[in-house]
Amino acid sequence: MDPAANVFHYGQEVFEGMKAYKSARGHTDVPARENARRFNFSLRRMSMPEIPEEHFIQALCELIKLEERWVPSAVGSSLYIRPTGVSTEAALGVKASESYLFFVILSPSGPYFAEGFNPVSLWVSDSFTRAAVGGTGEAKTGGNYAGTLLAAQMAKDKGFSQVLWLDAIEHRYIEEVGAMNIFFVIDGKLATPKLTGSILQASPGSRYCRSPRTWASRPRSGASPSTRWWRG
């Protein structure tokens, strides 16, 4: 790719993250519909052309069919799928690119954290902000993550696994954990941070939250105060 490609200088890029699992019957399950919609949402926010959902899903399914031998069957493992879109026009000037590249990366994976499926420790920072309302926080774009790396390293240096991000205005309300969504069970009810435009809308998690077999009470969405959490 040309060193002057738009993506290297102006960050016009989006991606998605999902997983394929081996079912008990040996089939490979790929829940991709909601991820396709969120991918296009991110593309719109970054002024990039959308990809028809059916083309997005077909591309993933055809690739996984070709590489199905890489889908692990061990408990807690999966095949991580990373669809990505980047701007490729070689031009030094702040504007939307005229050309783009779409590609998909596959990688067998285990638990995200080194602790596996055990509890992890979180560091609450009131001096860093992941994103603000009106910005690109609800788009899955690389710049959102680059801005979190310093705080993440500080958390690790202090012995914590990740950063618990608060809102950008009051530094009081919980929004995300590291690079993922978060939810709480309060008095038997599922509570999620309020979607104000600064955090990603959960994709696979939203199906889980809607499952009547999982929660006896209806999930509620609202700002979650962090006053009970230790602040760093």
Side-chain angles (χ1 to χ4, degrees):
M1 191 178 293
D2 195 297
N6 178 293
V7 66
F8 296 138
H9 303 272
Y10 309 112
Q12 210 181 4
E13 176 267 355
V14 305
F15 62 95
E16 260 302 325
M18 65 196 81
K19 295 181 178 181
Y21 300 89
K22 278 288 188 184
S23 69
R25 297 182 178 181
H27 302 302
T28 300
D29 297 325
V30 187
R33 178 71 61 181
E34 293 182 32
N35 292 90
R37 293 171 182 164
R38 192 170 68 174
F39 190 77
N40 275 332
F41 178 89
S42 297
L43 288 172
R44 288 194 297 273
R45 180 61 184 86
M46 301 305 292
S47 192
M48 300 169 69
E50 296 180 42
I51 297 176
E53 288 183 19
E54 295 305 324
H55 292 179
F56 179 94
I57 294 172
Q58 182 180 8
L60 265 58
C61 290
E62 290 297 328
L63 179 60
I64 293 172
K65 186 186 302 181
L66 181 67
E67 303 290 355
E68 192 169 12
R69 67 187 184 280
W70 289 103
V71 182
S73 56
V75 175
S77 64
S78 61
L79 181 70
Y80 183 74
I81 309 168
R82 171 59 64 85
T84 307
V86 300
S87 54
T88 58
E89 181 183 6
L92 297 180
V94 183
K95 70 179 188 67
S97 176
E98 295 292 332
S99 59
Y100 299 89
L101 175 66
F102 172 69
F103 58 91
V104 182
I105 300 172
L106 302 179
S107 175
S109 66
Y112 186 84
F113 292 106
E115 293 88 346
F117 295 105
N118 297 312
V120 297
S121 57
L122 302 175
W123 179 57
V124 183
S125 172
D126 54 11
S127 59
F128 290 97
T129 298
R130 176 192 171 274
V133 176
T136 59
E138 62 180 346
K140 202 166 178 65
T141 183
N144 291 339
Y145 297 86
T148 69
L149 299 179
L150 177 59
Q153 185 58 55
M154 291 176 64
K156 290 182 180 179
D157 291 343
K158 294 175 182 292
F160 295 88
S161 299
Q162 259 297 354
V163 179
L164 181 68
W165 293 104
L166 306 180
D167 70 289
I169 299 176
E170 297 185 51
H171 289 280
R172 180 187 174 198
Y173 297 102
I174 295 170
E175 292 202 329
E176 284 193 335
V177 171
M180 63 192 67
N181 298 101
I182 186 172
F183 63 83
F184 303 88
V185 178
I186 303 174
D187 297 328
K189 295 182 178 180
L190 182 67
T192 62
K194 188 176 182 179
L195 297 177
T196 61
S198 61
I199 63 176
L200 284 175
Q201 296 187 26
S203 185
S206 61
R207 286 194 302 273
Y208 179 74
C209 293
R210 289 197 302 265
S211 173
R213 292 176 299 176
T214 306
W215 302 103
S217 57
R218 189 173 182 178
R220 65 173 185 252
S221 177
S224 302
S226 64
T227 52
R228 296 182 183 178
W229 293 72
W230 179 82
R231 301 170 71 88

